Amino acid sequence: MAERSFKAEVEHLRKGTGDTFTGEGILAITKALLENGVGYVGGYQGAPISHLMDVLADAEDLLGELGIRFEANASEAAAAAMLAASVHYPIRGAVTFKGSVGVNVASDALANLASSGVNGGALVIVGEDYGEGSSIMQERSYAFAMKSQFWLLDPRPNLASIVKSVGDGFALSEASNSPVMLMVRIRSCHVTGRFETRDNVPPPLSVRDALSSPMRDFKRVVLPPMSYAHEHDKIDNRWPAAEKFILENRLNEHFGPEEGKVGIVCLGGIYNSVIRALQRLGLADISGNTSIPLHVLNVTYPLVKSELLEFCAGKEAVLMVEEGQPEFIEQQLGAMLYKEGRTTKLEGKGIFPRAGEYTGQIMLDGLDTFVRQYAPELLPGKVLAPNAPKPELPDLTKTVPIRPPGFCTGCPERPIFASLKMVEQEVGQHQITGDIGCHLFACLPPFEIGGSTMGYGLGPASNAAFDGGGERRAISIIGDGGFWHNGLSTSIGNMVFNKSDSVAIIVDNYYSAATGGQDIPSSRAKNKTKSTNNPITKALQGAGVKWIRQIDRTYDVTRMRETIREALTTEYDGPKVIVASSECMLNRQRREKPQRNKAIAGGERVEVPRFGVDQDVCTGDHACIRLSGCPSLSLKKLDDPLRDDPVAHIDQSCVGCGNCGEVADAAILCPSFYEAKVVHNPTGFEAWYAGLRTRIISWLQTRRAGSRLTFTGEGV
């Protein structure tokens, strides 16, 4: 397996009552699950909770000791469906996946789960990566919670609060017979801290024990007339039970004075940003004590009307700090105040931007504007007029270059798109769609291939409108992770069923690489708990694909180019699929570097390939860079008055994949690339021979330098 190892950290999960746990949020969540008697855990990797899946995978021995079932699910939908075990049985279950996209994939199972309700506590841990740390469309999971009536927790981003929210989530779920979604933001997942631990608790009823006493209740099945009763049960019973639990257990928190002229309501997940901005304004101290009443919503859905109205009572104005759009909570709070005939002024969007992440500066500016407008006397020191202009910040976009995402050094996907670009230069541009994964970077310079993505595993399906044939065949790109996640049935199956005359390229880098290198069914690694080494080509054949080409080394640019050209020009009019395979270089280096360093330290002879550019041969055309874009391939200015243009240069970050030379050779660019072997711990003969070569070369260089000096002197 190639994913990050948490074997050392997992030992801390065994700590019990009286111990102190120190670590990051992901590990704290895992420990909280064990302390709260979880019976089964599943999920699908995706930032920012990928490492949670890695932690669980490394902790399988401990989970087994406690009788906890763990499954790395095939998709978010499979994970959500796993929670069906809590519908009939009083077993606590938890699943985890990436924020809004994972919720979208799992929506069918989640909607059915929310309708039928649960007996055991059901917890969905969602990694909400809204804002600049996100790699997806900017959406919130809140809308789904409202639509299906999930209860949504958004705890303050410190380990003690996050750990408490896990237990609160299970208890709230059981008290209201409703599934609960626990939202942890990207910074919460990786925040470090400490908390006092409790003993791990085996589930009172394990899934293994439940198999011995099967349970069923037709009232839980989502079919008429039961589904009509489910809707009334949500409103008449589950919702009031949830509100009662939230109030009695004080899940939401109040900070600062009980009364005040103004107040602030904020989501738990952005509490740290709010308190930091208040500190900068002189309205809070370093311990978080604030001079403005602050109501923190650790439960953002459902909103408890009585609690919010009590907080707003007697205040001239209240600021709702709600990151993202639409402003769901602000709208609900505004409706509450209006229906009660309250005169409290509600501010939110308008003072804050309607969209985008609330960065430190945005938070500071928003709170400053609110306080100056409604309670300027609270601000220490000189008070400016409410509409006083703020100093303008310099526009750094004109001086700091944009740094778009890109392929890693040595990435085996780079030669695929270099080959495709060369083919397009021969036969013209094609309609190309991408997919979720590293290969999506190909839409950026220098390749500029593909221009759309509709979801994980939906690359080929995105081209369905163009699959009927035409002057040029449509091309779609999909990764091996996307293939197994959703692509085999939804994309490839769609192509076969509709007799698509298009081309699909499956980028097989052996792992679910973009999320950290987790194993998938086609991984080459041996995995003691998972079934790997299942070839993609066999799955394609089983789905009915007849035209399949397997390439086992993507760095062979010439073969890649010829295969792509064949797929685009063959007379065969059915689906054409190319499986382009090479191991993810990042994961390969993670595995091989420690092995190589150990061998070198042990005195073994080790050869390490290095590539370079002969600056005397390089013409400065730079076509190699335009067809590669490798970060280690850059420009070098020569100290030669007769050559103005910089030449290509390979820096020390090179991993020796050879892609630059392969591209140069396939495109017939130039012979300036060369490969050298760095030999560690050479044999005695190699050391003697290298010394002899060095002396001869040094003598020749000295002789040439002397000849140049003599010639220059005579010329003058």
Side-chain angles (χ1 to χ4, degrees):
M1 298 176 73
E3 55 259 56
R4 174 182 167 186
S5 175
F6 286 87
K7 287 291 186 183
E9 291 90 337
V10 161
E11 289 304 309
H12 297 301
L13 299 178
R14 297 182 179 275
K15 291 187 174 183
T17 302
D19 294 328
T20 299
F21 182 96
T22 302
E24 64 175 342
I26 293 296
L27 284 153
I29 292 172
T30 311
K31 175 59 176 163
L33 291 172
L34 302 182
E35 291 180 354
N36 283 281
V38 70
Y40 62 96
V41 189
Y44 190 81
Q45 60 271 3
I49 50 79
S50 293
H51 289 164
L52 180 51
M53 293 299 296
D54 297 340
V55 170
L56 291 167
D58 283 340
E60 281 200 75
D61 290 342
L62 174 57
L63 298 179
E65 293 172 15
L66 294 169
I68 301 170
R69 164 68 176 167
F70 167 67
E71 180 159 317
N73 302 109
S75 70
E76 297 88 347
M82 190 179 183
L83 289 172
S86 293
V87 171
H88 295 297
Y89 300 92
I91 305 175
R92 289 184 168 183
V95 297
T96 183
F97 40 74
K98 187 180 179 73
S100 57
V101 288
V103 172
N104 290 341
V105 172
S107 59
D108 197 10
L110 291 175
N112 279 278
L113 184 71
S115 181
S116 65
V118 296
N119 278 323
L123 192 63
V124 182
I125 303 169
V126 171
E128 194 83 346
D129 59 347
Y130 180 89
E132 70 175 15
S134 173
S135 61
I136 58 169
M137 79 291 289
Q138 297 297 275
E139 291 186 354
R140 302 166 63 190
S141 301
Y142 196 94
F144 196 95
M146 295 176 65
K147 176 189 78 69
S148 294
Q149 270 131 31
F150 267 79
W151 312 141
L152 181 60
L153 306 185
D154 187 6
R156 290 190 293 129
N158 64 72
L159 262 56
S161 295
I162 294 171
V163 168
K164 180 178 181 297
S165 70
V166 172
D168 289 341
F170 279 129
L172 174 60
S173 176
E174 291 165 341
S176 61
N177 299 116
S178 301
V180 170
M181 189 178 293
L182 171 62
M183 190 171 79
V184 283
R185 299 165 186 247
I186 188 167
R187 290 174 180 83
S188 300
C189 288
H190 304 296
V191 67
T192 57
R194 61 177 57 194
F195 66 95
E196 300 303 311
T197 61
R198 296 182 292 130
D199 290 337
N200 296 330
V201 178
L205 176 67
S206 70
V207 290
R208 182 180 292 272
D209 294 335
L211 286 173
S212 302
S213 303
M215 301 175 65
R216 57 176 64 95
D217 181 359
F218 74 90
K219 294 179 182 178
R220 296 283 185 181
V221 179
V222 186
L223 282 174
M226 289 80 74
S227 53
Y228 308 140
H230 293 166
E231 183 182 21
H232 287 281
D233 188 38
K234 286 181 181 180
I235 302 302
D236 298 336
N237 301 310
R238 301 186 207 170
W239 196 313
E243 288 188 334
K244 182 174 182 289
F245 184 90
I246 293 166
L247 283 171
E248 290 180 349
N249 293 274
R250 298 185 178 183
L251 299 192
N252 296 319
E253 298 175 283
H254 181 95
F255 297 93
E258 291 298 323
E259 298 180 355
K261 182 179 179 182
V262 296
I264 298 172
V265 180
C266 78
L267 284 63
I270 54 178
Y271 165 83
N272 286 5
S273 299
V274 171
I275 208 70
R276 174 57 180 154
L278 290 174
Q279 289 173 6
R280 296 176 66 185
L281 291 172
L283 298 173
D285 62 22
I286 194 170
S287 299
N289 299 309
T290 169
S291 56
I292 294 181
L294 182 61
H295 186 65
V296 179
L297 295 172
N298 292 314
V299 182
T300 55
Y301 190 78
L303 297 176
V304 181
K305 181 179 178 180
S306 60
E307 193 176 56
L308 285 166
L309 290 177
E310 181 182 347
F311 176 78
C312 294
K315 293 182 175 60
E316 179 182 329
V318 169
L319 177 65
M320 181 67 237
V321 187
E322 179 183 7
E323 187 178 54
Q325 54 81 34
E327 57 274 25
F328 298 115
I329 301 175
E330 184 181 338
Q331 292 173 12
Q332 293 177 73
L333 180 55
M336 291 177 189
L337 294 171
Y338 175 77
K339 288 183 177 181
E340 291 294 317
R342 298 290 182 87
T343 59
T344 303
K345 176 71 173 177
L346 178 61
E347 295 284 2
K349 302 298 184 182
I351 282 183
F352 285 106
R354 292 188 60 84
E357 183 178 2
Y358 286 179
T359 62
Q361 188 62 49
I362 288 175
M363 187 69 75
L364 179 65
D365 291 344
L367 293 180
D368 180 65
T369 300
F370 174 73
V371 176
R372 291 188 187 282
Q373 183 172 344
Y374 291 100
E377 68 279 2
L378 295 178
L379 291 169
K382 183 178 179 181
V383 178
L384 300 176
N387 297 321
K390 295 182 175 65
E392 292 188 7
L393 295 174
D395 183 5
L396 298 179
T397 60
K398 297 178 181 176
T399 56
V400 179
I402 296 175
R403 184 178 179 270
F407 296 110
C408 299
T409 301
C411 176
E413 301 185 19
R414 198 182 300 278
I416 298 173
F417 299 107
S419 304
L420 183 52
K421 192 169 184 177
M422 283 187 276
V423 172
E424 282 203 312
Q425 288 175 342
E426 298 176 21
V427 299
Q429 290 193 349
H430 287 64
Q431 161 61 28
I432 301 177
T433 61
D435 206 300
I436 302 299
C438 300
H439 52 271
L440 190 57
F441 298 150
C443 68
L444 303 172
F447 303 112
E448 299 182 71
I449 290 174
S452 66
T453 175
M454 291 292 106
Y456 200 27
L458 298 178
S462 303
N463 257 347
F466 304 99
D467 278 354
E471 181 180 348
R472 294 174 183 156
R473 286 169 174 150
I475 304 172
S476 54
I477 316 295
I478 181 174
D480 48 355
F483 173 82
W484 292 112
H485 175 275
N486 192 27
L488 177 58
S489 60
T490 304
S491 284
I492 301 301
N494 188 69
M495 291 176 69
V496 172
F497 185 65
N498 289 285
K499 298 183 177 180
S500 164
D501 184 27
S502 61
V503 179
I505 300 175
I506 300 176
V507 180
D508 172 25
N509 52 31
Y510 299 12
Y511 313 99
S512 183
T515 58
Q518 292 81 11
D519 280 336
I520 53 179
S522 53
S523 293
R524 270 59 164 185
K526 292 183 179 179
N527 190 314
K528 65 178 183 179
T529 64
K530 302 291 181 292
S531 174
T532 54
N533 288 281
N534 298 290
I536 292 175
T537 52
K538 286 191 176 181
L540 291 170
Q541 292 167 359
V545 181
K546 301 294 191 295
W547 196 102
I548 302 171
R549 298 293 183 271
Q550 171 73 48
I551 296 178
D552 292 320
R553 182 174 175 272
T554 61
Y555 298 105
D556 187 345
V557 176
T558 300
R559 187 183 175 201
M560 276 296 321
R561 182 183 60 183
E562 292 173 351
T563 305
I564 293 173
R565 186 193 296 117
E566 179 192 0
L568 294 175
T569 58
T570 180
E571 294 184 359
Y572 180 77
D573 62 357
K576 290 156 282 290
V577 182
I578 301 171
V579 182
S581 303
S582 275
E583 184 179 9
C584 167
M585 182 58 73
L586 187 60
N587 285 311
R588 179 179 172 183
Q589 291 297 313
R590 284 173 177 165
R591 185 184 71 255
E592 291 185 350
K593 273 188 175 181
Q595 296 173 352
R596 183 167 63 242
N597 293 338
K598 182 179 180 181
I600 293 173
E604 295 182 34
R605 181 186 181 279
V606 177
E607 286 187 5
V608 180
R610 297 286 301 173
F611 287 82
V613 176
D614 189 331
Q615 63 186 34
D616 293 328
V617 178
C618 178
T619 63
D621 175 67
H622 308 151
C624 53
I625 295 177
R626 293 194 297 273
L627 282 172
S628 170
C630 180
S632 67
L633 192 59
S634 58
L635 299 178
K636 179 180 180 180
K637 184 71 175 178
L638 295 179
D639 187 18
D640 186 343
L642 299 179
R643 299 187 65 178
D644 296 330
D645 294 334
V647 297
H649 173 70
I650 300 177
D651 64 28
Q652 294 300 311
S653 66
C654 173
V655 295
C657 71
N659 176 54
C660 49
E662 291 274 1
V663 169
D665 181 61
I668 317 178
L669 299 175
C670 67
S672 60
F673 288 90
Y674 64 85
E675 179 182 5
K677 296 288 181 65
V678 178
V679 180
H680 296 269
N681 301 319
T683 63
F685 174 78
E686 287 176 322
W688 172 82
Y689 186 65
L692 176 62
R693 290 182 60 191
T694 301
R695 289 192 294 274
I696 294 174
I697 292 172
S698 177
W699 178 77
L700 291 173
Q701 289 175 332
T702 303
R703 180 185 177 192
R704 183 175 64 175
S707 300
R708 286 178 174 175
L709 288 173
T710 302
F711 177 78
T712 303
E714 291 177 354
V716 173

